[in-house]
């Protein structure tokens, strides 16, 4: 699942491929925005963690599930 995160006062967005479902990502974002957590924390497919302060979120774009990769980059 591709996730794009816009951060206030940052020139570029953060893009990551997550193994989580859209519902799990949406729940995590909602918890960060409602104050249950002060940080938005997501893990990408390689196990790297992306942490953004919830009060700095501009937007979160949850894309479609990524399909099977084809070609030399899929190795």
């Amino acid at each position: 699942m591709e996730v794009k995160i816009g951060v206030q006062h940052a020139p570029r967005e953060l893009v990551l491929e997550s193994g989580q479902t859209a519902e799990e990502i949406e729940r995590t974002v909602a918890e960060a925005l409602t104050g249950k957590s002060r940080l938005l924390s997501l893990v990408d497919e390689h196990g790297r963690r992306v942490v953004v302060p919830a009060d700095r979120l501009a937007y979160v774009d949850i894309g479609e599930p990524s399909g099977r990769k084809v070609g030399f980059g899929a190795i």
Side-chain angles (χ1 to χ4, degrees):
M1 178 79 49
E2 182 181 64
V3 181
K4 295 179 183 177
I5 304 170
V7 181
Q8 295 176 11
H9 309 296
R12 296 184 352 179
E13 63 190 9
L14 301 172
V15 180
L16 64 118
E17 286 288 330
S18 177
Q20 296 174 299
T21 65
E23 291 79 20
E24 291 172 333
I25 295 169
E26 187 175 353
R27 187 176 330 110
T28 303
V29 171
E31 288 175 359
L33 293 175
T34 58
K36 290 185 180 180
S37 172
R38 296 179 67 189
L39 300 172
L40 172 63
S41 178
L42 297 173
V43 179
D44 73 0
E45 290 182 335
H46 302 286
R48 294 178 289 218
R49 184 172 300 272
V50 175
V51 180
V52 179
D55 62 343
R56 296 290 180 212
L57 288 175
Y59 63 89
V60 177
D61 180 19
I62 304 170
E64 295 294 320
S66 56
R68 185 174 161 263
K69 296 181 180 178
V70 179
F72 293 109
I75 297 177

